[in-house]
Amino acid sequence: MTFASLGLLDPLLRALDSLGYAIPTPVQAQAIPAVLAGRDLMAAAQTGTGKTAGFALPLLQRLTLEGPTVASNGVRALVLVPTRELAEQVHESIREYAVNLPLSTYAVYGGVSINPQMMKLRKGVDVLVATPGRLLDLHRQNAVKFGQVQTLVLDEADRMLDLGFSEELRDIYAALPKKRQTLLFSATFSESIRSLAGQMLDNPLSIEVSPRNQAASSVKQWVIPVDKKRKAELFSHLLETQRWTQVLVFAKTRNGVDQLVSLLQQQGVNADGIHGDKPQATRQRALDRFKASEVQILVATDVAARGLDIDDLPLVVNFDLPIVAEDYVHRIGRTGRAGALGQAISLVCADEVDQLAAIEVLTRQTLKRVEQQDFEPEHRVPLTDASGQVLKKPKKPKKPKVVGGGGKKNLGKWLESDEPASPQVKAVRKVPLFNTGPKKKK
Ligand code: AMP
């Protein structure tokens, strides 16, 4: 299959050619014809599967063919995303796809001055990428008008709910024209998202290109059990002994990010951090420098977990496990993108056993555990599996061993092997450990 056979216009095909996209990815192959035909869409796609082009290409084509020109302060297509970083990234992709088209595109998000955004919106914008809070601010100040909106895209919809945007989404939804196309994308589909979809979508085509709630199979995942107080020491040890080149590290709190960054910097490691307390410009600079390999270790809270596309990122480390199990899938989805191989290592202490169990239930797999010599935890991490059971509290071991996948293994050797992560377990029992409902804004 080619992009031309999906019925895309020549200016789009030329843009794809110059980006080196030869063959549509599965989500693109399904989404593009449906969106071109004007259908609503509910798409569950793994991170890194090319879903941005899946909605952006047909959307740009429809705008080009259909006219009319955009009115002052008007918008013809609205793409809602949960975070500022994702807004920048999605906008950048759309800009690249639209390079040969007579369409204007722009991104608005909070954390930066609103005035330049108001100025820019005066002439109207064909495609506007926005975070919900700032979009509503602009709408309330009449800087943006929704009368011309013909397509609404919700990207990472579940994350928007997780971040507490459900009220904003409701307000935006109420202000939009009733007759429009709606495309809902998400890597994970919780019950609250399905109910949102029920309210917003009209006879949607459901696309599910991958098993639900799973990371790309190209990501090799494992857990290293360790005592909480020794996590930083273990991280430094692995950084040195495994000769890690570029690592995206996730920590639970802003404080945790700052502490790890300053510790690494004291050790002479080129590290930087991003979290919600830092100004947007600082966050973007740290991310850009990390992407350009000018920063070796980027430590982030979950604000950076979604959608970020970093070329050939080899490794994600969960310094802390996420509170919400779905975030695990998104975090590790930063590696192994576009078919590349990736590794995801989680440093897990005994306190995090419930989070680990919830992740294993969600992803329907028992994560392999590999202990690191000299870092075997005093507080053992109880055994878990994909049924959601915390199996038992193991006794203190006499010597290091590997559990959750069987047999003794040497960490270094296992890393180099092609052995996949533990087989998936079919029987899934729901445990109320992970919260799928909307939460308070962070
Ligand atoms: P996304 O899931 O939209 O963030 O895309 C993940 C990565 O895949 C991005 O770097 C895209 O540029 C790239 N990509 C998307 N579609 C294709 C394609 N058909 N061929 C090659 N690369 C692609």
Side-chain angles (χ1 to χ4, degrees):
M1 186 186 294
T2 61
F3 282 105
S5 70
L6 295 175
L8 291 176
L9 294 171
D10 186 59
L12 287 169
L13 296 177
R14 280 189 281 122
L16 294 176
D17 206 37
S18 62
L19 289 170
Y21 292 15
I23 303 165
T25 64
V27 69
Q28 291 163 2
Q30 293 186 60
I32 291 171
V35 179
L36 283 177
R39 296 244 358 218
D40 279 6
L41 210 66
M42 168 155 168
Q46 290 176 323
T47 51
T49 52
K51 63 190 159 87
T52 314
F55 66 76
L57 295 169
L59 181 152
L60 291 167
Q61 173 146 331
R62 293 195 68 196
L63 293 176
T64 306
L65 293 178
E66 286 170 14
T69 50
V70 69
S72 297
N73 296 104
V75 176
R76 296 171 66 206
L78 200 50
V79 181
L80 296 183
V81 296
T83 65
R84 305 155 187 186
E85 284 81 4
L86 194 55
E88 276 295 339
Q89 184 180 299
V90 167
H91 176 239
E92 183 53 27
S93 295
I94 294 177
R95 224 176 43 79
E96 286 175 341
Y97 303 143
V99 66
N100 302 315
L101 297 174
L103 297 173
S104 56
T105 64
Y106 190 49
V108 295
Y109 41 82
V112 295
S113 167
I114 199 167
N115 289 336
Q117 297 180 347
M118 294 174 91
M119 299 277 283
K120 179 81 187 187
L121 288 167
R122 268 189 203 160
K123 275 198 207 155
V125 180
D126 289 297
V127 184
L128 182 65
V129 184
T131 52
R134 177 54 60 95
L135 181 69
L136 267 186
D137 272 358
L138 288 160
H139 185 249
R140 286 186 188 125
Q141 300 187 49
N142 282 325
V144 64
K145 294 179 180 155
F146 292 153
Q148 273 192 309
V149 172
Q150 64 178 71
T151 305
L152 169 70
V153 181
L154 301 168
D155 193 13
E156 308 280 9
D158 55 343
R159 180 62 168 175
M160 283 196 267
L161 291 191
D162 280 350
L163 289 177
F165 281 131
S166 52
E167 218 167 285
E168 282 86 348
L169 288 180
R170 220 181 22 243
D171 291 351
I172 293 167
Y173 174 65
L176 290 172
K178 293 291 158 268
K179 192 173 169 304
R180 47 141 222 278
Q181 182 179 37
T182 305
L183 315 174
L184 189 148
F185 282 80
S186 186
T188 52
F189 269 85
S190 60
E191 288 315 311
S192 42
I193 281 296
R194 288 181 189 278
S195 100
L196 180 81
Q199 293 158 31
M200 296 185 101
L201 305 182
D202 175 24
N203 184 26
L205 179 75
S206 210
I207 295 182
E208 196 157 357
V209 293
S210 53
R212 245 189 266 168
N213 295 330
Q214 284 180 26
S217 55
S218 52
V219 181
K220 189 165 179 167
Q221 310 163 50
W222 70 98
V223 161
I224 306 182
V226 61
D227 283 332
K228 194 194 290 189
K229 61 179 190 298
R230 296 196 72 198
K231 279 191 179 185
E233 196 189 338
L234 173 60
F235 182 85
S236 300
H237 174 80
L238 291 170
L239 178 63
E240 199 183 322
T241 55
Q242 302 297 322
R243 297 204 173 84
W244 286 341
T245 49
Q246 191 191 24
V247 194
L248 179 59
V249 186
F250 286 101
K252 197 166 54 188
T253 62
R254 297 163 184 191
N255 224 345
V257 169
D258 290 340
Q259 279 176 7
L260 184 60
V261 169
S262 71
L263 188 92
L264 291 169
Q265 287 174 342
Q266 280 165 24
Q267 293 170 355
V269 176
N270 186 355
D272 206 343
I274 54 176
H275 57 61
D277 270 353
K278 299 203 174 202
Q280 179 56 22
T282 313
R283 281 159 63 174
Q284 193 64 44
R285 194 167 53 244
L287 187 62
D288 289 344
R289 294 188 63 222
F290 182 64
K291 284 184 177 186
S293 301
E294 291 163 22
V295 165
Q296 183 191 1
I297 311 287
L298 185 66
V299 190
T301 53
D302 279 298
V303 79
R306 293 288 175 124
L308 300 185
D309 185 28
I310 300 160
D311 279 348
D312 302 324
L313 177 65
L315 175 62
V316 167
V317 171
N318 290 311
F319 190 82
D320 303 307
L321 285 182
I323 303 291
V324 179
E326 277 95 342
D327 280 341
Y328 176 82
V329 180
H330 291 283
R331 286 179 175 191
I332 73 168
R334 301 308 106 220
T335 179
R337 287 166 82 75
L341 292 176
Q343 296 184 335
I345 304 176
S346 301
L347 310 187
V348 178
C349 66
D351 290 356
E352 293 172 306
V353 68
D354 286 347
Q355 286 142 269
L356 178 61
I359 288 164
E360 292 181 337
V361 170
L362 180 73
T363 60
R364 301 192 280 277
Q365 64 184 331
T366 304
L367 289 171
K368 185 179 289 290
R369 299 184 183 198
V370 183
E371 288 196 339
Q372 177 64 35
Q373 203 174 4
D374 300 328
F375 287 89
E376 300 85 3
E378 278 177 27
H379 302 282
R380 309 294 302 166
V381 182
L383 294 180
T384 49
D385 73 13
S387 74
Q389 270 181 317
V390 175
L391 299 178
K392 60 179 176 188
K393 292 202 187 289
K395 294 190 191 97
K396 230 174 163 176
K398 293 196 177 60
K399 55 185 173 187
K401 63 176 182 183
V402 174
V403 289
K408 287 186 188 177
K409 270 193 192 78
N410 166 293
L411 175 64
K413 266 196 200 146
W414 187 75
L415 292 185
E416 283 158 25
S417 78
D418 290 329
E419 191 181 324
S422 304
Q424 287 164 17
V425 176
K426 285 227 170 69
V428 178
R429 187 147 60 79
K430 275 215 160 189
V431 287
L433 287 169
F434 60 94
N435 181 4
T436 51
K439 283 186 297 306
K440 287 216 158 31
K441 196 184 280 189
K442 281 167 198 162

Coordinates of all heavy atoms in Angstrom, one line a residue, residues 110-157:
G110 N -0.8 27.2 27.5 CA -0.6 28.0 28.7 C 0.9 28.1 29.1 O 1.8 27.5 28.4
G111 N 1.2 28.9 30.1 CA 2.6 29.0 30.6 C 3.4 30.0 29.8 O 4.6 30.2 30.1
V112 N 2.8 30.6 28.7 CA 3.5 31.6 28.0 C 2.5 32.8 27.8 O 1.3 32.6 28.0 CB 4.0 31.2 26.6 CG1 5.1 30.1 26.7 CG2 2.9 30.6 25.8
S113 N 3.0 33.9 27.5 CA 2.2 35.1 27.4 C 1.1 34.9 26.4 O 1.3 34.4 25.3 CB 3.1 36.3 27.0 OG 2.3 37.4 26.6
I114 N -0.1 35.4 26.7 CA -1.3 35.2 25.9 C -1.4 36.2 24.7 O -2.0 36.0 23.7 CB -2.6 35.2 26.7 CG1 -3.8 34.5 26.0 CG2 -3.0 36.6 27.1 CD1 -5.0 34.2 26.8
N115 N -0.7 37.4 24.9 CA -0.9 38.5 23.9 C -0.4 38.1 22.5 O -1.1 38.4 21.5 CB -0.2 39.8 24.4 CG -1.0 40.3 25.6 OD1 -2.2 40.1 25.7 ND2 -0.4 41.1 26.4
P116 N 0.8 37.6 22.4 CA 1.2 37.2 21.0 C 0.3 36.2 20.4 O 0.0 36.2 19.2 CB 2.6 36.6 21.2 CG 3.1 37.1 22.6 CD 1.8 37.3 23.4
Q117 N -0.3 35.3 21.2 CA -1.2 34.4 20.6 C -2.5 35.1 20.1 O -3.0 34.7 19.1 CB -1.6 33.3 21.7 CG -0.4 32.5 22.2 CD -0.7 31.5 23.3 OE1 -1.8 31.5 23.9 NE2 0.3 30.6 23.5
M118 N -3.0 36.1 20.9 CA -4.2 36.8 20.5 C -3.9 37.5 19.2 O -4.7 37.6 18.3 CB -4.6 37.8 21.6 CG -5.0 37.1 22.8 SD -5.4 38.2 24.2 CE -7.1 38.5 23.9
M119 N -2.7 38.1 19.1 CA -2.3 38.8 17.8 C -2.4 37.9 16.6 O -2.9 38.2 15.6 CB -0.9 39.4 17.9 CG -0.7 40.4 19.0 SD -1.2 42.0 18.5 CE 0.2 42.5 17.5
K120 N -1.7 36.7 16.9 CA -1.6 35.8 15.8 C -2.9 35.2 15.3 O -3.1 35.0 14.1 CB -0.7 34.6 16.3 CG -0.4 33.5 15.3 CD 0.6 33.9 14.3 CE 0.7 32.8 13.2 NZ 1.8 32.9 12.3
L121 N -3.9 35.1 16.2 CA -5.2 34.5 15.9 C -6.1 35.5 15.2 O -7.1 35.1 14.6 CB -5.9 34.1 17.2 CG -5.3 32.8 17.8 CD1 -5.8 32.6 19.2 CD2 -5.6 31.6 16.9
R122 N -5.7 36.8 15.2 CA -6.6 37.8 14.6 C -7.0 37.5 13.1 O -8.1 37.6 12.7 CB -5.9 39.2 14.6 CG -6.3 39.9 15.8 CD -5.8 41.3 15.8 NE -5.7 41.8 17.1 CZ -5.0 42.9 17.5 NH1 -4.3 43.5 16.6 NH2 -4.9 43.2 18.7
K123 N -6.0 37.0 12.4 CA -6.2 36.7 10.9 C -7.0 35.4 10.7 O -7.4 35.1 9.6 CB -4.9 36.6 10.2 CG -4.3 37.9 9.7 CD -3.3 37.6 8.7 CE -2.2 38.6 8.6 NZ -1.0 38.1 8.1
G124 N -7.1 34.7 11.8 CA -7.7 33.3 11.7 C -6.7 32.3 11.3 O -5.6 32.6 10.8
V125 N -6.9 31.1 11.7 CA -6.0 30.0 11.5 C -6.7 28.8 11.0 O -7.8 28.4 11.5 CB -5.3 29.6 12.8 CG1 -4.3 28.5 12.6 CG2 -4.6 30.8 13.5
D126 N -6.2 28.1 9.9 CA -6.9 26.9 9.4 C -6.8 25.8 10.4 O -7.8 25.1 10.7 CB -6.2 26.5 8.1 CG -6.6 27.5 7.0 OD1 -7.7 27.6 6.7 OD2 -5.6 28.1 6.5
V127 N -5.6 25.5 10.9 CA -5.5 24.4 11.9 C -4.9 24.9 13.2 O -3.8 25.5 13.2 CB -4.6 23.3 11.4 CG1 -4.6 22.1 12.4 CG2 -5.0 22.8 10.0
L128 N -5.6 24.8 14.3 CA -5.1 25.3 15.6 C -4.9 24.1 16.5 O -5.8 23.4 16.8 CB -6.1 26.3 16.2 CG -5.7 26.9 17.5 CD1 -4.4 27.8 17.3 CD2 -6.8 27.8 18.1
V129 N -3.7 24.0 17.0 CA -3.4 23.0 18.0 C -3.4 23.7 19.4 O -2.8 24.8 19.5 CB -2.0 22.3 17.8 CG1 -1.8 21.2 18.8 CG2 -1.9 21.8 16.3
A130 N -4.1 23.1 20.3 CA -4.3 23.8 21.6 C -4.4 22.9 22.8 O -4.9 21.8 22.7 CB -5.5 24.7 21.5
T131 N -3.9 23.4 23.9 CA -4.3 22.8 25.2 C -5.6 23.4 25.7 O -5.9 24.5 25.4 CB -3.2 23.0 26.3 OG1 -2.9 24.4 26.4 CG2 -1.9 22.2 25.9
P132 N -6.4 22.6 26.3 CA -7.8 23.0 26.6 C -7.9 24.3 27.4 O -8.7 25.2 27.1 CB -8.4 21.8 27.4 CG -7.6 20.7 27.0 CD -6.2 21.2 26.7
G133 N -7.1 24.4 28.5 CA -7.2 25.6 29.4 C -7.0 26.9 28.6 O -7.8 27.9 28.7
R134 N -5.9 27.0 27.9 CA -5.5 28.2 27.2 C -6.5 28.5 26.1 O -6.9 29.6 25.8 CB -4.1 28.1 26.6 CG -3.7 29.3 25.8 CD -3.8 30.7 26.5 NE -3.1 30.9 27.7 CZ -1.9 31.4 27.8 NH1 -1.3 31.9 26.7 NH2 -1.3 31.6 29.0
L135 N -7.0 27.4 25.4 CA -8.0 27.6 24.3 C -9.2 28.3 24.9 O -9.8 29.2 24.3 CB -8.4 26.3 23.7 CG -9.4 26.4 22.5 CD1 -8.7 27.1 21.3 CD2 -9.9 25.1 22.1
L136 N -9.7 27.8 26.1 CA -10.9 28.4 26.7 C -10.6 29.9 27.1 O -11.5 30.8 26.9 CB -11.3 27.7 27.9 CG -12.4 26.6 27.7 CD1 -12.8 26.0 29.0 CD2 -13.6 27.1 26.9
D137 N -9.5 30.2 27.6 CA -9.1 31.6 27.9 C -9.2 32.4 26.7 O -9.8 33.5 26.7 CB -7.6 31.7 28.4 CG -7.5 31.4 29.8 OD1 -8.5 31.3 30.5 OD2 -6.3 31.4 30.3
L138 N -8.7 32.0 25.6 CA -8.7 32.7 24.3 C -10.1 32.9 23.8 O -10.5 33.9 23.3 CB -7.8 32.1 23.3 CG -6.3 32.2 23.5 CD1 -5.6 31.1 22.8 CD2 -5.8 33.5 23.1
H139 N -10.9 31.8 24.0 CA -12.3 31.9 23.5 C -13.1 32.9 24.3 O -13.9 33.7 23.8 CB -12.9 30.5 23.6 CG -14.3 30.4 23.0 ND1 -15.4 30.2 23.8 CD2 -14.7 30.5 21.8 CE1 -16.4 30.1 23.0 NE2 -16.1 30.3 21.8
R140 N -12.9 32.9 25.7 CA -13.6 33.8 26.5 C -13.3 35.2 26.2 O -14.1 36.1 26.4 CB -13.3 33.5 28.0 CG -14.0 32.2 28.4 CD -13.9 31.9 29.9 NE -14.4 30.6 30.2 CZ -13.7 29.7 30.8 NH1 -12.4 29.9 31.2 NH2 -14.2 28.5 31.1
Q141 N -12.1 35.5 25.7 CA -11.7 36.8 25.4 C -12.0 37.1 23.9 O -11.4 38.1 23.4 CB -10.2 37.0 25.7 CG -9.9 36.8 27.2 CD -8.5 37.1 27.5 OE1 -8.0 38.2 27.2 NE2 -7.8 36.2 28.3
N142 N -12.7 36.3 23.3 CA -13.1 36.5 21.9 C -11.9 36.5 20.9 O -12.0 37.0 19.8 CB -13.9 37.8 21.7 CG -15.3 37.6 22.1 OD1 -15.9 36.5 21.9 ND2 -15.9 38.6 22.7
A143 N -10.8 36.0 21.3 CA -9.6 35.9 20.5 C -9.7 34.8 19.5 O -9.1 34.7 18.5 CB -8.3 35.8 21.3
V144 N -10.6 33.8 19.8 CA -10.8 32.7 18.9 C -12.3 32.4 18.9 O -13.0 32.4 19.9 CB -9.9 31.5 19.3 CG1 -10.3 30.9 20.6 CG2 -10.0 30.4 18.3
K145 N -12.8 32.1 17.7 CA -14.2 31.9 17.5 C -14.4 30.5 16.9 O -13.6 30.1 16.0 CB -14.8 32.9 16.6 CG -14.8 34.3 17.3 CD -15.4 35.4 16.5 CE -15.3 36.7 17.3 NZ -15.3 37.9 16.4
F146 N -15.4 29.8 17.3 CA -15.5 28.4 16.9 C -16.5 28.2 15.8 O -16.7 27.0 15.4 CB -15.9 27.5 18.1 CG -14.9 27.4 19.2 CD1 -15.3 27.2 20.5 CD2 -13.5 27.5 18.9 CE1 -14.3 27.1 21.5 CE2 -12.6 27.4 19.9 CZ -13.0 27.2 21.2
G147 N -17.2 29.2 15.3 CA -18.2 29.1 14.3 C -17.8 28.3 13.1 O -18.6 27.6 12.4
Q148 N -16.5 28.4 12.7 CA -16.1 27.7 11.4 C -15.5 26.3 11.7 O -15.1 25.7 10.7 CB -15.0 28.6 10.8 CG -15.6 29.6 9.8 CD -14.4 30.2 9.0 OE1 -13.4 30.6 9.5 NE2 -14.6 30.3 7.7
V149 N -15.5 25.9 12.9 CA -14.8 24.6 13.2 C -15.5 23.5 12.5 O -16.7 23.2 12.8 CB -14.7 24.3 14.7 CG1 -14.1 22.9 14.9 CG2 -13.7 25.3 15.4
Q150 N -14.9 22.8 11.6 CA -15.5 21.6 10.9 C -14.9 20.3 11.4 O -15.6 19.3 11.2 CB -15.4 21.8 9.4 CG -14.0 21.7 8.9 CD -14.0 21.8 7.4 OE1 -14.3 22.9 6.8 NE2 -13.6 20.7 6.7
T151 N -13.7 20.3 12.0 CA -13.2 19.1 12.5 C -12.6 19.3 13.9 O -11.8 20.3 14.1 CB -12.1 18.5 11.6 OG1 -12.6 18.4 10.3 CG2 -11.6 17.2 12.1
L152 N -12.9 18.5 14.8 CA -12.3 18.5 16.1 C -11.5 17.2 16.3 O -12.0 16.1 16.1 CB -13.4 18.6 17.2 CG -12.9 18.4 18.7 CD1 -12.1 19.5 19.1 CD2 -14.1 18.1 19.6
V153 N -10.2 17.4 16.7 CA -9.4 16.2 17.0 C -9.1 16.2 18.5 O -8.6 17.2 19.0 CB -8.1 16.2 16.2 CG1 -7.3 14.9 16.6 CG2 -8.3 16.3 14.7
L154 N -9.3 15.1 19.2 CA -8.9 15.0 20.6 C -7.7 14.0 20.6 O -7.9 12.8 20.3 CB -10.0 14.4 21.5 CG -11.3 15.2 21.5 CD1 -12.4 14.4 22.2 CD2 -11.1 16.5 22.3
D155 N -6.5 14.5 20.8 CA -5.4 13.7 20.8 C -5.0 13.3 22.2 O -5.0 14.2 23.1 CB -4.2 14.4 20.1 CG -3.1 13.4 19.7 OD1 -3.3 12.2 19.8 OD2 -2.0 13.9 19.4
E156 N -4.6 12.1 22.5 CA -4.3 11.7 23.9 C -5.5 12.0 24.8 O -5.3 12.7 25.9 CB -3.0 12.4 24.4 CG -1.8 12.2 23.5 CD -1.1 10.9 23.7 OE1 -1.7 10.0 24.3 OE2 -0.1 10.8 23.1
A157 N -6.7 11.6 24.4 CA -7.9 12.1 25.1 C -7.9 11.6 26.5 O -8.4 12.3 27.4 CB -9.1 11.5 24.3

